[in-house]
């Protein structure tokens, strides 16, 4: 490990120093060897009792100065002050090439922000976060990563008794929209500026060269989120709980709770059992991302311009870019999923017809693309569907209007 703890230089209100609560029988159940190597850690050394001790929070690696981070958030639209209630940041590991990664233990015990929670996590959800975050990474989607899962040898009480576990999460940072909301509410302008400058240094150092670095910070965050959400939509990923505390400024997907990949195509798909109104439904994710970015923009207004009216005008101009960037990225991704290399005016119609048909037929989203990739007319729900057959012929015509071969199209679709 080569720990640095630059977050400790930020205003005191943003964190509390706290140690993980020791567990009874730590046992390493998953170690991500690829990730460990790409972080230049000693994998053999970690794949041991010592690794279990570190990844469960029983032993603090040299140089780490553990903290719980404070943040706020709009949860299902309602503003609350929160913070790491069950996660503890060991520090920032800096790789030999100078890359900085947060190393965080999720499920490591209570903190001053735990409220009525027990500070613990169950094995099932931690393995789910491990699997889905690694799947997202390998699908080319920005995300926090998972380095290890340990069990604690202790039970935790949920609906029933469950095995306790700790997930080691690796992230570009854990700075959230909610982190800005927290300091904008509780801190001075000077303190807010410290967080903004720190975030610029970590995630968009180029912004410092602009006349208005804070406008640039907003622009970059909007750009990254628009790109990210387009990628989610393209693979049918439903985050489940897109509260502002679960949205990073780095543009990484974070906090895998009741998330999943949609099966039958339905824009109303919801995975959180408490999302009664479908606020975080699949089809709503781009709107929610923009709403969250609006909350981020609000926190920056005083830094963007002294005159609040002007600041709002600037923020609105930047926010208006979101749908444009989202659409461009989504169209590009859809073209790839359907083997299309060049652009045509009618592509958006071709795609919306396709989605309408599979939505009506309740066809499986990903499997329908796979069948098209296998150059088969889709089976199952789509077999013999006249509307679909018409669309299929239109699509094949579309593929013939480009110079690339069929084999190249299939490669692209894959
Ligand atoms: P989430 O919806 O998982 O993003 O969590 C929202 C907030 O609840 C965060 O501040 C978490 O740290 C906190 N939280 C979730 N589970 C627990 C728990 N078991 N103990 C303490 N705090 C928790
Ligand atoms: Mg969260």
């Amino acid at each position: 490990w080569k720990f640095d703890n630059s977050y400790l230089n930020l205003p005191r209100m943003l964190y509390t120093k706290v140690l993980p609560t020791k567990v009874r029988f730590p046992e390493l159940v998953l170690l991500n060897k690829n990730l460990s190597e790409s972080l230049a850690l000693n994998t053999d050394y970690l794949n041991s009792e010592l690794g279990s001790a570190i990844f469960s929070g029983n032993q603090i690696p040299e140089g780490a100065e553990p903290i719980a981070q404070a943040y706020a958030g709009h949860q299902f639209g309602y503003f609350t002050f929160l913070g790491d209630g069950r996660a503890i940041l060991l520090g920032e590991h800096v790789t030999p090439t100078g890359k900085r990664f947060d190393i965080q233990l999720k499920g490591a015990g209570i903190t001053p922000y735990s409220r009525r929670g027990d500070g613990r996590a169950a094995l099932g959800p931690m393995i789910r976060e491990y699997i889905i975050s690694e799947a997202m990474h390998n699908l080319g989607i920005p995300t926090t990563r998972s380095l290890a899962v340990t069990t604690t040898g202790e039970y935790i009480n949920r609906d029933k008794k469950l095995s306790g576990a700790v997930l080691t999460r690796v992230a570009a940072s854990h700075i959230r929209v909610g982190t800005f909301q927290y300091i904008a509410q509780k801190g001075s302008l000077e303190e807010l500026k410290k967080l903004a400058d720190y975030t610029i240094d970590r995630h968009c150092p180029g912004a410092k060269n602009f006349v208005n670095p804070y406008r640039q910070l907003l622009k970059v965050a909007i750009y990254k989120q628009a790109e990210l959400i387009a990628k989610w939509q393209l693979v049918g990923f439903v985050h489940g709980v897109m509260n502002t505390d679960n949205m990073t400024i780095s543009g990484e997907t974070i906090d895998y709770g009741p998330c999943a990949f949609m099966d039958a195509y339905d824009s109303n798909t919801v995975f959180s059992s408490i999302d009664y109104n479908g606020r975080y439904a699949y089809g709503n994710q781009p709107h929610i991302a923009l709403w969250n970015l609006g909350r981020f923009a609000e926190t920056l207004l005083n830094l963007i311009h002294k005159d609040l009216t002007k600041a709002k005008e600037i923020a609105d101009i930047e926010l208006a870019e979101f749908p444009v960037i989202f659409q461009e990225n989504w169209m590009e991704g859809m073209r790839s999923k359907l083997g299309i290399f060049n652009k045509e005016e009618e592509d958006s119609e071709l795609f919306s017809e396709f989605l309408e048909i599979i939505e009506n037929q309740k066809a499986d989203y990903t499997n329908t693309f796979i069948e098209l990739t296998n150059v088969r007319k889709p089976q199952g729900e789509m077999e013999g569907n006249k509307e679909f057959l018409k669309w299929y012929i239109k699509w094949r015509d579309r593929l013939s209007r480009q110079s690339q071969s069929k084999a190249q199209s299939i490669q692209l679709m894959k």
Side-chain angles (χ1 to χ4, degrees):
W1 301 100
K2 187 169 172 275
F3 274 107
D4 186 30
N5 305 279
S6 67
Y7 209 82
L8 295 176
N9 301 326
L10 285 170
R12 281 288 291 112
M13 71 172 66
L14 281 176
Y15 62 89
T16 306
K17 287 190 181 184
V18 57
L19 290 173
T21 306
K22 286 199 171 155
V23 306
R24 263 169 79 187
F25 298 116
E27 200 178 328
L28 187 60
V29 292
L30 276 170
L31 177 63
N32 189 336
K33 293 186 179 155
N34 284 336
L35 178 57
S36 165
E37 263 142 43
S38 71
L39 292 171
L41 297 172
N42 185 333
T43 310
D44 293 334
Y45 181 75
L46 289 171
N47 196 11
S48 64
E49 242 168 68
L50 179 73
S52 321
I54 290 174
F55 295 131
S56 63
N58 275 12
Q59 188 172 325
I60 305 302
E62 206 186 306
E65 288 191 57
I67 56 168
Q69 294 177 321
Y71 48 84
H74 275 92
Q75 300 192 300
F76 293 91
Y78 298 98
F79 185 81
T80 328
F81 290 104
L82 301 156
D84 290 331
R86 58 169 172 173
I88 291 176
L89 182 72
L90 289 180
E92 305 134 30
H93 169 66
V94 183
T95 67
T97 56
K99 286 200 178 128
R100 181 178 296 264
F101 294 97
D102 273 11
I103 307 292
Q104 192 205 59
L105 302 179
K106 185 170 174 178
I110 54 169
T111 76
Y113 313 105
S114 296
R115 296 174 290 169
R116 276 167 314 233
D118 60 2
R120 291 297 182 193
L123 180 59
M126 294 307 100
I127 290 180
R128 176 174 52 199
E129 172 153 348
Y130 184 109
I131 293 172
I132 301 193
S133 63
E134 288 307 299
M136 295 287 269
H137 173 74
N138 286 288
L139 285 162
I141 301 174
T143 176
T144 63
R145 305 277 309 270
S146 300
L147 180 59
V149 176
T150 61
T151 44
T152 59
E154 295 168 11
Y155 284 111
I156 61 169
N157 289 312
R158 295 292 182 262
D159 298 343
K160 50 187 175 194
K161 273 183 156 184
L162 297 170
S163 293
V166 179
L167 172 85
T168 304
R169 179 154 77 178
V170 179
S173 87
H174 284 81
I175 303 168
R176 308 149 191 264
V177 169
T179 316
F180 277 84
Q181 289 181 295
Y182 188 94
I183 205 157
Q185 284 276 330
K186 293 211 174 196
S188 64
L189 185 60
E190 205 42 47
E191 287 167 321
L192 171 71
K193 190 169 170 296
K194 284 213 171 97
L195 176 65
D197 290 337
Y198 177 85
T199 307
I200 287 174
D201 274 334
R202 245 178 121 167
H203 297 305
C204 51
K208 280 183 285 195
N209 306 325
F210 284 75
V211 192
N212 191 336
Y214 307 108
R215 176 181 188 163
Q216 194 60 21
L217 170 64
L218 176 63
K219 188 195 272 293
V220 171
I222 290 170
Y223 189 89
K224 285 183 179 166
Q225 284 297 329
E227 247 183 358
L228 177 69
I229 310 298
K231 288 188 167 166
W232 287 6
Q233 300 305 96
L234 288 161
V235 299
F237 174 74
V238 183
H239 181 283
V241 195
M242 286 177 73
N243 295 332
T244 55
D245 50 302
N246 291 338
M247 183 185 265
T248 60
I249 307 302
S250 69
E252 288 182 341
T253 311
I254 196 171
D255 269 359
Y256 294 86
C259 58
F261 295 93
M262 176 174 61
D263 292 327
Y265 184 78
D266 179 357
S267 49
N268 297 316
T269 305
V270 166
F271 284 111
S272 167
S273 59
I274 58 165
D275 189 3
Y276 307 112
N277 302 315
R279 180 180 169 90
Y280 300 137
Y282 170 77
N284 228 12
Q285 296 189 127
H287 306 289
I288 291 294
L290 179 55
W291 190 87
N292 289 349
L293 289 163
R295 305 292 74 72
F296 179 49
E298 277 168 7
T299 71
L300 295 178
L301 290 177
N302 286 320
L303 294 175
I304 288 174
H305 206 289
K306 283 196 295 272
D307 177 342
L308 215 57
T309 313
K310 290 217 174 89
K312 280 182 186 157
E313 275 169 24
I314 293 171
D316 281 337
I317 292 170
E318 296 303 337
L319 289 163
E321 284 299 307
F322 180 92
V324 182
I325 303 160
F326 172 82
Q327 189 65 13
E328 270 171 16
N329 279 276
W330 185 82
M331 288 292 292
E332 206 40 51
M334 262 329 235
R335 286 194 182 93
S336 301
K337 282 172 85 81
L338 290 169
I340 299 170
F341 287 88
N342 56 350
K343 285 187 190 174
E344 277 187 11
E345 195 62 38
E346 297 78 33
D347 287 342
S348 76
E349 196 184 299
L350 185 75
F351 302 157
S352 54
E353 273 176 29
F354 173 74
L355 293 176
E356 207 181 301
I357 297 167
I358 64 171
E359 186 153 29
N360 285 338
Q361 292 299 310
K362 306 208 182 322
D364 187 279
Y365 179 67
T366 299
N367 287 343
T368 304
F369 285 103
I370 291 174
E371 290 188 0
L372 291 173
T373 308
N374 293 338
V375 212
R376 267 211 318 254
K377 275 185 222 143
Q379 327 273 304
E381 301 92 344
M382 301 309 247
E383 201 176 347
N385 181 290
K386 284 208 183 89
E387 289 296 304
F388 193 76
L389 219 57
K390 254 180 29 202
W391 180 87
Y392 186 81
I393 291 162
K394 211 163 148 179
W395 172 59
R396 299 308 298 258
D397 282 351
R398 175 68 184 81
L399 290 185
S400 66
R401 291 197 297 277
Q402 57 188 12
S403 54
Q404 285 80 1
S405 67
K406 210 163 277 173
Q408 283 173 302
S409 274
I410 290 171
Q411 204 47 46
L412 180 62
M413 291 172 82
K414 280 181 179 162

